[in-house]
Amino acid sequence: MEISVNYFDKDENEKTIKAKIDISAYFDGVGPYEYWGSKGYDKEDLCIDVNEIIYDKKGLTEEEIKQIEEYFESQEFHEEILRKHLDNQQAEREDAAEAAYEARKEADFSY
């Protein structure tokens, strides 16, 4: 996934760089379960782990790199990554639904 990161240079001008983020997404719960004859459901939460962040540090000062790295450690960054991941999943589902609909139309199934 690719994101834009804003930072300020030494003259307090706002600048933007692109960063590529490699993530792992998983659910942390066990879902449905049975324990001693009793059935239950452990609600799962979506978790995102950031595996790697790649951006071009060439031409950046130590202070600018520090600002960018602090942003990568922030809650705001992790919320943005989660939001983008969910948006990407939704777009993929919509594309798959559209492709299935078109395939059914091509196969000439009656509705």
Side-chain angles (χ1 to χ4, degrees), residues 6-18:
N6 296 328
Y7 67 95
F8 293 96
D9 66 6
K10 64 181 176 182
D11 298 324
E12 296 299 317
N13 297 319
E14 187 173 14
K15 296 196 172 188
T16 303
I17 62 165
K18 298 280 185 193

Side-chain angles (χ1 to χ4, degrees), residues 68-99:
I68 293 166
E69 296 291 332
E70 285 175 357
Y71 175 70
F72 290 146
E73 296 296 322
S74 72
Q75 182 69 26
E76 179 185 352
F77 168 71
H78 290 278
E79 289 171 0
E80 179 182 355
I81 294 298
L82 177 61
R83 187 172 47 255
K84 284 190 78 117
H85 175 72
L86 293 173
D87 289 348
N88 289 345
Q89 280 188 323
Q90 182 63 30
E92 289 172 6
R93 280 193 289 273
E94 290 170 359
D95 290 346
E98 181 66 26

